[in-house]
Amino acid sequence: MNEIKIVMEGIRELTEAVNRIATALSGGGQVQISAGAVLPPGMNAPLQQAPVSPAVPITAPPVPPVPAPVPAQGVVPTTGAVQPYTLEQLQVAAAGLTSAGKMPQVMGILQAFGIQAMTELPKERYGEFAAALRGAGAQI
């Protein structure tokens, strides 16, 4: 069995800070959190409860409003993200059309894209090709 040893610099300060926060949140009662880690040499003294100053509320600075982006003229905003298709998905969809007797439509789509086989289709056109298959009745 292998042994893994984790050494964390500054764990004492972090543990003391967590203890102070826990004490402040619990209304001033004594709370002690043990790190449970192997400390580097010189840092393995017992933890002491640090005095806690009164709780000070922390507020976040105001966030300025961000105007909504305005679509460019002539651009129709869409609600869905473009799904990346794989060659295998396209091949399965085309095979479904072929099985349904739509081989001429599949051949027409290939010709429209100027290719002899789907393996020649550039990846950046997979979405267009999927849309063409869907237009012919494919499930994709």
Side-chain angles (χ1 to χ4, degrees), residues 8-13 39-47:
M8 298 176 75
E9 297 292 327
I11 191 73
R12 174 192 268 175
E13 292 83 6
L39 299 175
M43 291 189 72
N44 50 3
L47 297 174

Side-chain angles (χ1 to χ4, degrees), residues 31-131:
V31 176
Q32 185 66 35
I33 298 174
S34 173
V38 177
L39 299 175
M43 291 189 72
N44 50 3
L47 297 174
Q48 300 293 322
Q49 181 70 37
V52 177
S53 60
V56 178
I58 299 174
T59 58
V63 177
V66 178
V70 179
Q73 284 186 324
V75 175
V76 178
T78 60
T79 56
V82 176
Q83 175 183 346
Y85 293 98
T86 64
L87 179 60
E88 292 77 22
Q89 288 174 311
L90 298 176
Q91 289 171 332
V92 168
L97 287 176
T98 302
S99 297
K102 296 186 177 183
M103 182 63 156
Q105 286 91 334
V106 173
M107 296 305 294
I109 294 170
L110 290 171
Q111 288 175 353
F113 280 82
I115 56 176
Q116 297 290 318
M118 286 192 288
T119 55
E120 299 173 6
L121 184 67
K123 286 185 180 183
E124 57 271 5
R125 298 200 66 198
Y126 281 8
E128 294 174 64
F129 196 84

